Amino acid sequence: MGDRYPSAKPEFMLLAFRPAQMEFRNREGDAGFSFVLPRRSRTPGTSAFVRAKDEESKIESCLRSILPVFDEIHVIDNGSRDATAEIVRHVRGSSPEGAKIRVHSYPFAVGRFGPEHAGTPADSLHSLVYFTNWALSRCTRRHVCKWDADMVLAGERRGALAGLVAELDRGWPAAWSLAGQTVYRALDWTFREPRGEVNREVRIFPLSYDVRFHWREHWEELIRPRWLRTHRFAPACFHELKFLDEEEFDHWSTTEFPSPRKRREWASFERLRGGRPHGSDRRLPTTFLDDQIGEPDASPRDAGQPPGTPPRRRGLSRGMPRFVGIGATRAGTSWVAAHLATHSDIRMGRKEIHFFDRKLRAPGATGSARDRYNQLRYLARFVRAPGGGRVRGEITPAYAILEPDVIRRVAEWMPDAKLIFMMRDPVERAWSQARNGFPRWRGKPLEEVGRDELTAYLDSDPVRRRSDYARCLRAWLANYPRDQFFFGFLDEIQGRPEALLRDLLGFLEVDLAVPDPASLARPVNASAPVPMPDWVRDHFERTYAFDADEVSELVGRPVPWAK
């Protein structure tokens, strides 16, 4: 383990001399991650420590549920690749109690439960034992609670647990075991509670090197001296969350689980994922998590706002993108994205993340836990986005044809966002989509596409709606004022690219530096140059009779294709 008393080795001398602290060193020799545990802490109160890795879907509910209970909460981020750290920072800054939260980084890969753990020396930085004791050493109060990132304190038990924690400093030191019920969330956001899946574990204990974690074959184990009495806190006080759309057992290096508990959970997980609930499973409402942690208070700044007014930017909204490119497909959006992505003031990931049209799950009520979870999933797309610019943004042209209820949700999340809408002649746009789409998505060149298949494609709702700019704009203008839109045309990219880009950069309020003329003139993601047959143009003239004057009125200037 690498723990060392500054005393002689014989046992009788350890009993005679009790040092004030125990030192832990790792075999890799990294002094920055050596640590000590005290013989006892004299600071009153109770610390909680939460080990977290890629827990963006659960960490907010976990932390909010325990914030009122413990005196300090230490979150140990073990190299999360999602938005876990950003969510923790949000929770920390969103309420006065958030000041209890301390965030620490443990950047080393840790051996997973099972064979990986068994093959990792206990004094290695990559050992679960060393990692957990290091997390324990971050705590400073007289007692400690080991809380997991997938655990949510039951709302009806919060007062009782807080009462227990408040009494811990009185009387003889003791340990307490807590019980939790496993709860599974299905794809439709309903929750199920299988009968009998209640697990109990010692989770609260004095902060002392006498009570620490040791190596066992498959996992770490809490050891404690015989004199330390252990009490049971009953009944079950927390819910252990398992989401059926996530890989809940990837922290194990085997599916041959050595414990009956894990075998039972694995069987329930596979059964429910396969759509085979038992009649004994208790069905919980979709508001289950909200019921445990309660809804955050509304900001006083929103008091007195007219009904239907989008909430002001606060909390998660402050991290939302400052601009969104919403369309139109095959109208120069790739050129715009390419030049914005290289700008020093702008931070954006790959073009077309398709969050709101493909990845947005059941939205849930505004401000609910489900709604916040979806916001955090969206923000996670920008955590690892390249560039260090202060202005975040994304461009997904398919957003032009979002349904009205989704557009309203975008406006609730990002009421101040600037919207970029590029256009071109609707007929040329649809033909470019066909030239690009058939080779790319259907695997054959446009010249080999039959007349009936091509006609069906051009008349399909997704293609027609993308060229119906007036319909798209009416839906978006119902939720955003016109001064938050930038309207541009492919004709301007081809005729005055530098002026167009400068106008766009000024609209986004960033530095007006533009690339050299050669870069601006270079096409981006151009489709194959296939001439439009006369019969296709005749078909367009009959079926694509969109009103150019209406589009001109909506954008505030004549469109290039108006006759």
Side-chain angles (χ1 to χ4, degrees):
M1 180 74 219
D3 46 317
R4 300 172 183 174
Y5 287 98
S7 61
K9 293 184 178 179
E11 186 68 20
F12 71 88
M13 293 199 67
L14 294 181
L15 295 174
F17 173 57
R18 299 279 291 162
Q21 63 187 24
M22 176 185 289
E23 182 182 5
F24 291 73
R25 300 174 185 169
N26 53 77
R27 64 171 48 209
E28 288 84 2
D30 189 335
F33 283 87
S34 297
F35 61 93
V36 297
L37 289 176
R39 183 175 66 184
R40 65 177 182 271
S41 173
R42 299 183 182 274
T43 305
T46 303
S47 305
F49 71 89
V50 181
R51 301 170 302 176
K53 180 176 182 177
D54 297 336
E55 295 285 359
E56 67 179 12
S57 62
K58 305 182 182 79
I59 192 67
E60 182 179 11
S61 298
C62 165
L63 294 178
R64 290 195 186 280
S65 73
I66 61 175
L67 268 176
V69 175
F70 300 108
D71 297 290
E72 63 178 16
I73 300 171
H74 297 269
V75 179
I76 319 299
D77 182 20
N78 183 211
S80 295
R81 295 164 295 179
D82 61 6
T84 297
E86 185 164 333
I87 295 169
V88 174
R89 289 193 293 271
H90 162 68
V91 175
R92 185 175 59 186
S94 62
S95 73
E97 288 186 323
K100 298 178 180 180
I101 298 175
R102 307 286 188 272
V103 185
H104 312 274
S105 175
Y106 191 86
F108 308 103
V110 175
R112 296 176 295 168
F113 296 118
E116 279 189 15
H117 171 76
T120 306
D123 62 347
S124 170
L125 290 167
H126 305 287
S127 166
L128 183 62
V129 177
Y130 195 91
F131 170 38
T132 308
N133 280 323
W134 186 87
L136 178 61
S137 73
R138 305 299 95 184
C139 300
T140 66
R141 301 302 179 104
R142 192 170 293 170
H143 288 83
V144 175
C145 178
K146 175 179 175 283
W147 198 267
D148 295 339
D150 60 356
M151 290 164 44
V152 173
L153 178 60
E156 67 272 16
R157 301 295 173 199
R158 185 173 300 134
L161 185 62
L164 167 66
V165 169
E167 295 293 323
L168 287 176
D169 290 339
R170 302 179 182 179
W172 192 253
W176 288 82
S177 68
L178 307 182
Q181 165 73 53
T182 308
V183 173
Y184 298 82
R185 191 192 72 188
L187 300 179
D188 61 356
W189 283 76
T190 58
F191 294 82
R192 291 191 178 270
E193 181 183 276
R195 183 178 180 182
E197 285 199 24
V198 177
N199 308 298
R200 180 171 290 276
E201 180 180 335
V202 174
R203 291 190 172 275
I204 298 178
F205 44 88
L207 179 57
S208 166
Y209 56 59
D210 288 323
V211 188
R212 63 185 189 276
F213 293 87
H214 269 220
W215 185 92
R216 281 195 61 184
E217 182 181 2
H218 299 289
W219 48 72
E220 86 286 26
E221 179 182 43
L222 183 70
I223 63 166
R224 52 196 186 277
R226 292 184 179 181
W227 56 261
L228 185 68
R229 297 186 59 184
T230 300
H231 306 291
R232 293 164 62 92
F233 182 81
C237 68
F238 66 85
H239 306 285
E240 184 175 347
L241 304 178
K242 296 196 180 300
F243 293 170
L244 300 183
D245 57 346
E246 299 181 6
E247 298 303 323
E248 291 287 3
F249 296 87
D250 59 1
H251 58 291
W252 280 82
S253 54
T254 179
T255 54
E256 300 294 327
F257 301 109
S259 73
R261 167 187 170 182
K262 284 301 167 186
R263 291 195 293 269
R264 183 173 66 247
E265 290 177 352
W266 173 260
S268 295
F269 187 84
E270 291 296 298
R271 170 175 61 80
L272 291 170
R273 180 181 262 186
R276 302 185 303 276
H278 282 166
S280 61
D281 294 344
R282 180 186 173 199
R283 185 182 177 95
L284 304 173
T286 57
T287 59
F288 166 72
L289 281 180
D290 291 332
D291 296 340
Q292 307 310 309
I293 63 176
E295 289 298 324
D297 295 333
S299 169
R301 294 177 59 202
D302 291 333
Q305 291 291 324
T309 301
R312 299 179 186 273
R313 291 177 69 91
R314 65 180 186 273
L316 291 176
S317 295
R318 288 195 296 267
M320 288 291 174
R322 291 266 299 278
F323 71 87
V324 180
I326 61 173
T329 303
R330 309 304 304 166
T333 55
S334 294
W335 183 91
V336 171
H339 291 295
L340 293 184
T342 58
H343 195 283
S344 60
D345 290 344
I346 292 175
R347 181 177 184 178
M348 58 183 292
R350 65 179 178 84
K351 180 173 178 278
E352 302 193 38
I353 64 175
H354 286 288
F355 183 85
F356 292 103
D357 60 324
R358 298 180 186 175
K359 301 181 178 70
L360 178 64
R361 298 172 183 171
T366 300
S368 65
R370 186 189 312 179
D371 186 49
R372 292 195 302 274
Y373 171 52
N374 275 323
Q375 291 186 55
L376 292 166
R377 291 179 54 244
Y378 183 53
L379 284 173
R381 270 65 185 176
F382 301 93
V383 172
R384 297 180 299 277
R390 59 184 174 83
V391 178
R392 292 180 176 183
E394 66 132 325
I395 295 179
T396 302
Y399 293 167
I401 60 172
L402 289 177
E403 295 300 323
D405 59 332
V406 181
I407 297 175
R408 284 193 293 273
R409 185 54 50 94
V410 175
E412 290 174 358
W413 290 9
M414 298 177 282
D416 302 325
K418 297 176 181 289
L419 306 177
I420 303 171
F421 195 90
M422 300 295 298
M423 290 168 278
R424 69 187 293 186
D425 184 307
V427 169
E428 296 292 343
R429 193 219 64 78
W431 180 243
S432 178
Q433 186 174 350
R435 299 199 319 261
N436 184 70
F438 273 98
R440 185 173 182 181
W441 304 115
R442 303 195 181 187
K444 54 183 176 181
L446 196 58
E447 295 89 337
E448 299 178 9
V449 178
R451 183 165 182 161
D452 292 342
E453 183 181 5
L454 181 55
T455 300
Y457 177 82
L458 297 174
D459 289 347
S460 64
D461 188 61
V463 177
R464 281 183 54 83
R465 287 178 62 195
R466 282 172 166 81
S467 285
D468 191 352
Y469 304 136
R471 178 180 175 182
C472 298
L473 289 173
R474 285 195 300 269
W476 281 92
L477 285 165
N479 295 273
Y480 283 94
R482 191 162 68 173
D483 60 5
Q484 288 181 225
F485 286 81
F486 177 89
F487 300 113
F489 304 103
L490 180 64
D491 307 67
E492 295 174 306
I493 294 176
Q494 296 168 340
R496 46 185 293 271
E498 182 175 348
L500 173 70
L501 186 56
R502 286 187 183 276
D503 290 345
L504 177 55
L505 296 177
F507 171 75
L508 298 178
E509 300 180 47
V510 297
D511 186 81
L512 299 183
V514 299
D516 60 86
S519 298
L520 293 172
R522 191 175 300 120
V524 180
N525 194 27
S527 55
V530 179
M532 186 188 308
D534 292 339
W535 72 265
V536 172
R537 187 172 294 279
D538 292 341
H539 180 79
F540 276 136
E541 290 179 357
R542 292 193 306 271
T543 59
Y544 275 54
F546 301 123
D547 190 347
D549 292 337
E550 183 180 5
V551 179
S552 298
E553 183 177 351
L554 289 171
V555 303
R557 57 183 171 130
V559 297
W561 60 91
K563 297 180 180 178

